[in-house]
Amino acid sequence: MRTLGLIGGMSWESSALYYRAINEGVRDARGGHHSAPLLLLSVDFADIAALQHAGDWNALGDRMADAARTLATAGADGIVLCTNTMHTLADRIAAAVDVPLLHIADAAGAALVAAGVRRAGLLGTAFTMEQDFYRARLAVRWGVEVIVPGADDRATVHRVIYDELVRGIVSDDSRRAYRDVMARLVDDGAAGIVLGCTEIALLVGAEDAAVPLFDTTTLHAAAAVRFALDG
């Protein structure tokens, strides 16, 4: 099997889900006592979040590139960046190493196309919803039109992620708020909704929306398993 290098800690709550999902995927595929060969570099999210909100993406790019190089030097055959937002730096990270970066939006795009969804709502941090790096990749590479919530709904989604989910707080009030946001996306024509933040699946599931939900944590982890098993 190939060794996966995970850049985690953004947040550790979702990185723990990656670790479990990847190991379960390998166990299910290979059986017996098999598990995944993994290297995990977990950052201090307080530092990352501060730089995000300060808009210092250059410093963040340096940190993510350094993390990828560390993992590649340690023997990783592929890099898994365990966060959606930081894929705004995907090109810089990929350029820093000679091994593949498994892009999270490609995992989502493949699942959307397989399900026949050509117009999808996107939930995530404000950075993911408002910057173009994610929506453009889904549109150009996968032919999926992406719509995002209105300004007030984007603020709610972002606040819940940073104030609650990354701290392991799961609130019924926030679940209801997310249900309302997703219902409005469906009213706007979304045939599916991308959970484009790796913590959102901690809060909502299939029963919370009238259309299919595409959990990027699960999809990305499954893509990582396929990559590992190909080696």
Side-chain angles (χ1 to χ4, degrees):
M1 278 187 285
R2 290 171 172 158
T3 297
L4 298 168
L6 277 57
I7 305 176
M10 298 169 283
S11 66
W12 72 260
E13 294 279 351
S14 62
S15 299
L17 298 178
Y18 269 91
Y19 185 82
R20 175 178 289 276
I22 292 171
N23 278 296
E24 287 178 343
V26 169
R27 179 198 63 196
D28 293 346
R30 290 288 175 90
H33 294 159
H34 283 290
S35 58
L38 299 173
L39 299 169
L40 171 62
L41 193 160
S42 190
V43 300
D44 182 352
F45 188 52
D47 295 339
I48 300 300
L51 289 169
Q52 288 175 340
H53 287 94
D56 195 347
W57 297 98
N58 188 55
L60 287 165
D62 287 342
R63 292 196 181 199
M64 294 298 102
D66 285 346
R69 279 191 290 265
T70 297
L71 290 167
T73 299
D77 298 304
I79 304 298
V80 180
L81 180 60
C82 303
T83 163
N84 284 272
T85 295
M86 298 301 281
H87 276 76
T88 190
L89 300 164
D91 289 345
R92 186 164 174 187
I93 297 166
V97 292
D98 292 326
V99 299
L101 172 69
L102 309 183
H103 201 293
I104 196 168
D106 291 337
L112 289 164
V113 170
V117 174
R118 292 296 182 177
R119 182 176 171 88
L122 174 63
L123 301 183
T125 67
F127 312 111
T128 299
M129 292 185 290
E130 294 172 5
Q131 295 179 20
D132 196 43
F133 69 96
Y134 207 96
R135 290 178 284 123
R137 193 171 185 105
L138 287 176
V140 173
R141 292 204 171 203
W142 298 98
V144 176
E145 179 187 0
V146 177
I147 59 174
V148 297
D152 289 345
D153 283 347
R154 293 198 304 273
T156 296
V157 171
H158 182 88
R159 177 190 59 77
V160 169
I161 291 168
Y162 278 91
D163 292 352
E164 299 177 16
L165 298 181
V166 299
R167 301 177 182 182
I169 299 169
V170 177
S171 157
D172 287 338
D173 287 343
S174 294
R175 182 177 294 109
R176 284 190 288 270
Y178 268 53
R179 286 173 177 167
D180 290 342
V181 171
M182 292 190 292
R184 284 187 280 275
L185 286 171
V186 173
D187 288 343
D188 288 339
I193 295 174
V194 177
L195 306 184
C197 173
T198 52
E199 288 81 20
I200 293 179
L202 297 169
L203 182 66
V204 297
E207 69 279 5
D208 294 304
V211 297
L213 301 184
F214 295 83
D215 171 22
T216 53
T217 303
T218 300
L219 295 171
H220 200 201
V225 169
R226 290 191 295 271
F227 177 85
L229 293 175
D230 280 345

